[in-house]
Structure formats: C-alpha cells, structure tokens
Amino acid sequence: MFDRTSRYYGVPTGTVTDHRGRTVQVVLVPDAPKLQLRGEHLRRQGQRLDHLAGFYFGDPHGYWKIAELANVMHPEALSEARAIPIPIGT
C-alpha cells in the first residue's frame, strides 16, 4: 500500500466504524522514529523542507523527518523558522 521509503510502510492496519456506521480500514499511528540531530540548517529565502530533505537525505519525501525532529505536527509550522534541525541519516 505504501512505498518502502514511507513512514507508514509496514505499519499495521485496523478497522473503525465511522460516524455513518460504516466500517473502514485505517493505518495505525506508527511509532515515532528515534532521530538524532546532525546539526541545524540556516534557511535561505525560498527553501522548503522538501528541498532540504532532498539535499540531506537524497529523498524530498523525507521532509517529515525534519518536522518530526523539530516536534511540529505540520511542516508549515517551520515556514518562518530561521534555523531548521536536520536529523542524521534516513
């Protein structure tokens, strides 16, 4: 269902009943990865998290790792941050 590089790859699924009484399949919340700080990136104008993930990890879809290390729910929360924490590896 998910690409091998997705944080949801291999995560078990479950079923819930929605507000209309339908049974739907859901992906359970994965455990938070244990990320270590590589350092901080001083953001330049126009840089987005996917740009940084592409540069540091070779995978722009890894932007969620930066958001996870920064402890933000939505990556946009870092849009005005000057220093962006960068985790080690992928």
Side-chain angles (χ1 to χ4, degrees):
M1 177 169 24
F2 293 101
D3 182 82
R4 286 185 321 107
T5 60
S6 171
R7 74 183 298 177
Y8 298 102
Y9 182 77
V11 174
T13 59
T15 57
V16 297
T17 303
D18 70 8
H19 71 282
R20 295 168 73 185
R22 299 175 296 185
T23 300
V24 294
Q25 189 173 17
V26 297
V27 177
L28 302 177
V29 178
D31 293 332
K34 300 203 183 315
L35 299 171
Q36 294 180 333
L37 181 66
R38 164 189 265 179
E40 289 187 332
H41 176 90
L42 296 180
R43 172 184 265 157
R44 294 186 184 131
Q45 185 175 1
Q47 286 182 321
R48 301 187 320 244
L49 293 190
D50 60 328
H51 295 158
L52 300 180
F55 178 77
Y56 287 105
F57 311 140
D59 177 15
H61 299 287
Y63 68 88
W64 63 267
K65 297 172 189 173
I66 298 170
E68 184 77 35
L69 183 63
N71 199 29
V72 297
M73 179 71 73
H74 299 286
E76 295 82 25
L78 292 173
S79 64
E80 298 299 319
R82 175 80 174 114
I84 307 294
I86 304 296
I88 294 173
T90 55

